[in-house]
Amino acid sequence: MPDELRGARALVITANIGVERDELRIPLDWLREHGAVAVHATPERGEVQTFHHDVDKDEVVQPDAVLDDIEADDFDVLVVPGGTVNVDKLRVCERAVDLAQQFVRAGKPVAAICHGPWLLVEADVVSGKTLTSYHSLRTDVINADGRWIDRPVVRSDENGWPLITSRHPGDLPEFTHAIAAELTAAESAQAFIGDELA
């Protein structure tokens, strides 16, 4: 259904270079096509150079906002696409790390694919969580006291906030549908609470 996510608000954050194209475009476009407000924000103003399989330059895209103008309170989910250079730049961006921590403190879902969990390791929020990622991050996750498993998509509820993770672009269908399921469940819960209070 094209409007199944109407009212949902998703924040997709990337650096301005090194982003894995499909891991940005597929979730972003899918969320918009299904009625969500999806905002792509970056540390700097200006275009984003995407890549295919981390090494081949692909399309240039224009983000919607800069991270300094974004408030976590305005969104229901944080999405972190991969790309080695992309997330390496994000994890040294104080604003990106702070936003990830804000989502976690608020108990809001975070979805990260491929190298995306690097940002969460830097934000010091993976301790006690079960997650997956690109296989080269396994040691980083374990060293941060996370539990790494090799599955197309993993949803973790530990520590009071939902984390959705996937390994690589081949997992994008499962990753995108898990984000949609999370947003739909949150909408249903809010509607139920509203009915109960009425």
Side-chain angles (χ1 to χ4, degrees):
M1 293 183 8
D3 289 336
E4 67 187 280
L5 298 178
R6 186 163 299 284
R9 300 160 301 167
L11 174 61
V12 181
I13 66 171
T14 72
N16 292 81
I17 193 166
V19 184
E20 188 69 27
R21 180 204 62 200
D22 287 352
E23 292 173 0
L24 168 63
R25 293 305 302 267
I26 288 176
L28 186 65
D29 293 346
W30 195 95
L31 286 163
R32 288 171 173 168
E33 288 164 6
H34 288 76
V37 173
V39 174
H40 174 202
T42 53
E44 301 171 9
R45 297 189 189 280
E47 62 189 24
V48 172
Q49 176 66 63
T50 71
F51 284 74
H52 182 62
H53 292 158
D54 237 1
V55 293
D56 298 319
K57 278 189 177 180
D58 207 287
E59 66 180 322
V60 171
V61 300
Q62 195 67 38
D64 305 302
V66 292
L67 295 181
D68 284 342
D69 294 339
I70 292 295
E71 297 295 334
D73 289 346
D74 295 333
F75 296 93
D76 303 308
V77 63
L78 173 65
V79 182
V80 187
T84 310
V85 172
N86 169 48
V87 189
D88 195 45
K89 288 187 173 292
L90 280 182
R91 65 181 179 156
V92 296
C93 171
E94 289 185 13
R95 182 59 180 155
V97 172
D98 181 57
L99 280 168
Q101 292 170 335
Q102 287 183 42
F103 273 83
V104 170
R105 284 195 299 268
K108 294 182 178 184
V110 176
I113 187 169
C114 199
H115 286 77
W118 248 351
L119 176 63
L120 306 179
V121 168
E122 187 66 32
D124 196 23
V125 296
V126 303
S127 179
K129 301 293 279 185
T130 301
L131 62 153
T132 194
S133 66
Y134 193 69
H135 62 86
S136 65
L137 273 64
R138 179 177 180 271
T139 300
D140 298 300
V141 169
I142 292 170
N143 286 342
D145 293 324
R147 177 173 176 253
W148 190 91
I149 57 177
D150 185 13
R151 292 184 189 162
V153 66
V154 178
R155 185 185 183 280
S156 169
D157 269 331
E158 295 98 338
N159 302 335
W161 61 281
L163 172 62
I164 296 163
T165 50
S166 287
R167 303 168 299 183
H168 49 65
D171 297 334
L172 278 164
E174 293 93 337
F175 181 68
T176 303
H177 288 133
I179 296 170
E182 195 67 40
L183 289 170
T184 303
E187 283 275 313
S188 298
Q190 286 298 326
F192 175 76
I193 292 168
D195 291 342
E196 289 291 297
L197 294 175

